[in-house]
Amino acid sequence: MIQQSLYEQVLDYANRANPYPLYAQLRQTPVTRQTDGSYVVSTYREIVSLLHDPRIGSDFRKRSVHDRPPAGLSTNKEQAFKSQVPEVGTEASASNEGSETEVVPSFIGLDPPEHDRIRRQATWPFGPPHKPGRVADMESELICLANRQIDTMKGKSSIDIVEDFAYPIPVTMISKLLGVPPEDQARLHALSEAIIEGIDLDPQKSQEERKRRQEQSGQTFKDLEQYMEALIERHRKHPGSDLLSGLITDYGPDGPMAQPDIVSTASLLLIAGHETTVNLITNGMLTLLRHPDVLERLRREPNLVIRLVEELLRYEPPVQILPNRVALADITIAGTIIQKGSPVILLLASGSRDPARFHDPDKFDPDRRDNMHLGFGCGIHYCYGAPLARLETQIALTELVRRLENPRLAYDQPPYRQSATLRGPRHLIIEIDGVKD
Amino acid sequence: MLRIVVDLNRCESYAQCVFAAPTVFWMKDEESLEYDYAPDDSLLVQVERAAAACPVQAISICWLDEQLEQQGGNHSEQQ
Ligand code: SF4
């Protein structure tokens, strides 16, 4: 049997619960070339410098290494669908055998200047300068929503933080934000799940199995696209105060967003809303239950949550890896030359645990002052949803800790989702003595 | 009294502070941030959220003691 590289071990599901020792080993060599020609970057300084480097692109169409997909990912141009969250929404419509694939990536899969324009258009109805209060104004609604979910735990002695709490909150909010009618939410939940399962390819699975899943995922993405097109039509006719209506009707100096860009942007936001914050909230509760002294402090000092969430983003980030960057030129970094056209994989979660940047990095310390973590990336692709994810998690954890009586882990450790990139528990079963009002 | 200082040399206009505390921080145009350096104390939580959200740690919060200020100024840094 061929020896797995360190990065392949990170992708290996067996190491999902604790990839951090592998990251520490990877950091011994800041930039490592993989056998498939991709480069894995694991140290803070190198990740930040590449994320600010205009010679690093996000548009996978600029890749020249097509012969073999990197472990766990796919670069094959013929595949009907290409999307790896967090580069989610990079979509391609089905192609006939041998014909060119038509690709309409969302803004996270684009480079300047297109990226900058579409991101500005997407931000126009969402945040400053045009709608600066949009996220902050969601606070009271979020508090209500969190408490409604906690109310459902009354009378139970055992709850699943994922199903009962961490999933419903961001999903309800993103659906509301996009103007998805409540009766469609279950269907979108299923679609989003199927897409993520299909694109997060386990290197352990056989080639045929991976291909089958990719195709399925491509079909699912087309279903989502069709759903979005119909939803956009409805909002065009009857615009509301939601973000999708804003994307369609309320545009700024860059003019209206083109229809395919609205579809890919809305799909991106929907999937990101389903698959990222759920893990931040769940990782947060897991980390608190593993640090009962901090949990107790949070109960007494609710404002501690603000820095605590930043520390979570450093210590247990939901997005561990940016797997889909590409070198647009030869780049010399840390004594290695990354060749033009090579895929570049940035291990954000490893950078945020780099002892060269953070004091005592493996310690969860909510009082940490110097905390320029990579939880939301950095540079031009800094997470679009960060303001919402922060507020949701701050409120979710505060309310949970305030109301649950004597919460404790039913067992440590929880089962994890498949993905190494969007890492988090599938279930988090905790026991409680009751729920306060 | 609450006081804010933003190191505008560090600021990279991510606008994360504007999302978190939209009445305290605002973008003048695409590039430049403006802010109320003396917001009402009731906005403390929003301001703390803004400072924590800044990706380049450009925002400092201080408490200014009115009496001490009249005597020649004194403040304690929180950031
Ligand atoms: S969050 Fe920080 S970098 Fe962004 S605009 Fe505010 S001060 Fe500047």
Side-chain angles (χ1 to χ4, degrees):
Chain A
M1 184 177 160
I2 312 160
Q3 171 105 53
Q4 278 184 320
S5 75
L6 282 166
Y7 179 59
E8 283 165 346
Q9 290 179 57
V10 169
L11 298 180
D12 189 337
Y13 184 70
N15 295 312
R16 196 67 71 248
N18 187 12
Y20 299 103
L22 289 167
Y23 294 153
Q25 285 185 60
L26 271 158
R27 284 191 303 267
Q28 308 271 313
T29 317
V31 182
T32 51
R33 187 176 193 276
Q34 305 295 298
T35 49
D36 61 26
S38 62
Y39 291 80
V40 169
V41 187
S42 55
T43 45
Y44 186 90
R45 198 179 59 178
E46 279 67 30
I47 293 171
V48 170
S49 113
L50 291 177
L51 283 174
H52 282 111
D53 193 327
R55 295 171 300 171
I56 284 285
S58 290
D59 189 339
F60 79 94
R61 295 170 296 184
K62 295 175 184 164
R63 279 181 182 179
S64 63
V65 181
H66 280 302
D67 42 342
R68 257 204 297 168
L73 299 178
S74 46
T75 52
N76 194 334
K77 233 181 157 188
E78 259 104 61
Q79 72 187 51
F81 168 69
K82 173 71 191 71
S83 165
Q84 170 80 13
V85 174
E87 318 280 26
V88 76
T90 307
E91 47 180 296
S93 49
S95 63
N96 297 322
E97 196 80 295
S99 75
E100 273 298 291
T101 307
E102 192 207 315
V103 185
V104 188
S106 74
F107 57 81
I108 50 173
L110 290 175
D111 295 332
E114 298 100 300
H115 162 272
D116 300 3
R117 179 179 43 91
I118 295 178
R119 178 143 175 167
R120 272 199 310 271
Q121 289 174 316
T123 303
W124 188 257
F126 180 63
H130 183 56
K131 294 273 181 193
R134 174 146 226 155
V135 172
D137 288 346
M138 293 163 86
E139 178 165 4
S140 53
E141 198 176 346
L142 273 167
I143 294 173
C144 286
L145 177 60
N147 280 292
R148 268 208 309 279
Q149 288 306 129
I150 297 173
D151 287 340
T152 66
M153 301 168 190
K154 283 184 177 165
K156 294 186 189 168
S157 58
S158 164
I159 51 177
D160 181 358
I161 288 294
V162 177
E163 295 293 330
D164 298 338
F165 189 73
Y167 205 91
I169 291 176
V171 167
T172 308
M173 284 325 281
I174 195 68
S175 304
K176 188 112 205 262
L177 190 63
L178 284 176
V180 171
E183 61 271 21
D184 293 352
Q185 286 181 18
R187 178 166 165 226
L188 289 174
H189 180 163
L191 282 179
S192 161
E193 189 118 305
I195 287 170
I196 296 298
E197 260 165 34
I199 60 180
D200 201 75
L201 301 169
D202 184 351
Q204 306 290 313
K205 295 234 163 66
S206 71
Q207 196 69 35
E208 298 83 73
E209 173 67 10
R210 282 158 59 172
K211 195 154 181 264
R212 196 184 60 76
R213 284 179 173 237
Q214 270 176 31
E215 281 166 8
Q216 228 172 34
S217 185
Q219 183 53 48
T220 316
F221 205 91
K222 275 203 286 177
D223 292 348
L224 177 62
E225 203 175 80
Q226 272 170 11
Y227 175 85
M228 280 301 171
E229 275 163 5
L231 190 66
I232 290 165
E233 249 352 277
R234 264 188 282 163
H235 286 240
R236 207 184 282 282
K237 287 196 188 113
H238 310 284
S241 56
D242 57 275
L243 183 61
L244 190 54
S245 297
L247 284 177
I248 299 163
T249 60
D250 178 15
Y251 46 84
D254 289 295
M257 199 184 248
Q259 169 81 6
D261 293 333
I262 300 177
V263 173
S264 64
T265 300
S267 305
L268 162 72
L269 301 186
L270 187 101
I271 298 178
H274 274 70
E275 305 299 334
T276 54
T277 314
V278 51
N279 291 336
L280 184 58
I281 295 172
T282 309
N283 290 346
M285 198 54 191
L286 175 62
T287 303
L288 285 170
L289 291 165
R290 284 172 173 170
H291 298 82
D293 50 323
V294 179
L295 190 148
E296 219 16 77
R297 244 187 94 194
L298 180 59
R299 211 191 293 274
R300 282 181 279 114
E301 302 168 43
N303 288 347
L304 179 67
V305 82
I306 297 168
R307 292 199 165 272
L308 188 144
V309 169
E310 299 307 312
E311 177 67 345
L312 265 178
L313 285 158
R314 186 193 71 80
Y315 181 83
E316 284 277 32
V319 179
Q320 298 259 314
I321 304 170
L322 292 178
N324 277 0
R325 300 292 159 113
V326 56
L328 304 178
D330 286 355
I331 300 170
T332 306
I333 184 158
T336 303
I337 298 169
I338 300 179
Q339 278 166 358
K340 181 178 174 182
S342 309
V344 179
I345 297 159
L346 304 169
L347 302 185
L348 297 180
S350 171
S352 289
R353 294 266 194 136
D354 187 343
R357 177 62 182 81
F358 297 99
H359 174 71
D360 205 356
D362 293 326
K363 182 177 177 211
F364 177 68
D365 176 10
D367 294 316
R368 195 179 287 279
R369 289 288 158 180
D370 182 18
N371 191 3
M372 276 171 59
H373 60 75
L374 302 175
F376 291 126
C378 66
I380 62 164
H381 291 282
Y382 188 85
C383 175
Y384 171 93
L388 183 56
R390 281 189 162 110
L391 192 62
E392 285 178 345
T393 310
Q394 287 164 358
I395 289 168
L397 293 178
T398 308
E399 295 305 310
L400 213 49
V401 163
R402 181 175 71 80
R403 293 190 61 194
L404 296 187
E405 285 175 28
N406 190 22
R408 57 214 179 262
L409 288 170
Y411 46 82
D412 204 351
Q413 68 207 8
Y416 272 79
R417 291 169 191 270
Q418 175 58 45
S419 177
T421 306
L422 299 181
R423 173 178 162 275
R426 169 153 301 288
H427 300 288
L428 181 65
I429 310 297
I430 70 167
E431 286 163 1
I432 51 173
D433 290 347
V435 176
K436 287 195 203 107
D437 280 327
Chain B
M1 277 191 307
L2 188 54
R3 286 289 182 273
I4 300 172
V5 181
V6 179
D7 181 345
L8 290 171
N9 291 321
R10 291 186 74 112
C11 172
E12 292 177 15
S13 304
Y14 283 93
Q16 295 298 307
C17 54
V18 186
F19 279 100
T23 57
V24 180
F25 303 88
W26 58 91
M27 300 307 291
K28 188 154 165 274
D29 45 59
E30 270 286 307
E31 300 290 291
S32 58
L33 175 75
E34 291 190 338
Y35 63 102
D36 176 0
Y37 73 97
D40 194 85
D41 288 1
S42 64
L43 291 166
L44 175 64
V45 171
Q46 281 203 2
V47 169
E48 282 188 344
R49 283 183 188 148
C54 175
V56 292
Q57 298 182 168
I59 303 171
S60 314
I61 305 170
C62 342
W63 283 104
L64 204 91
D65 188 313
E66 268 169 280
Q67 283 171 344
L68 280 175
E69 193 187 36
Q70 281 158 12
Q71 291 162 18
N74 192 355
H75 61 267
S76 58
E77 288 249 343
Q78 250 208 0
Q79 168 71 13

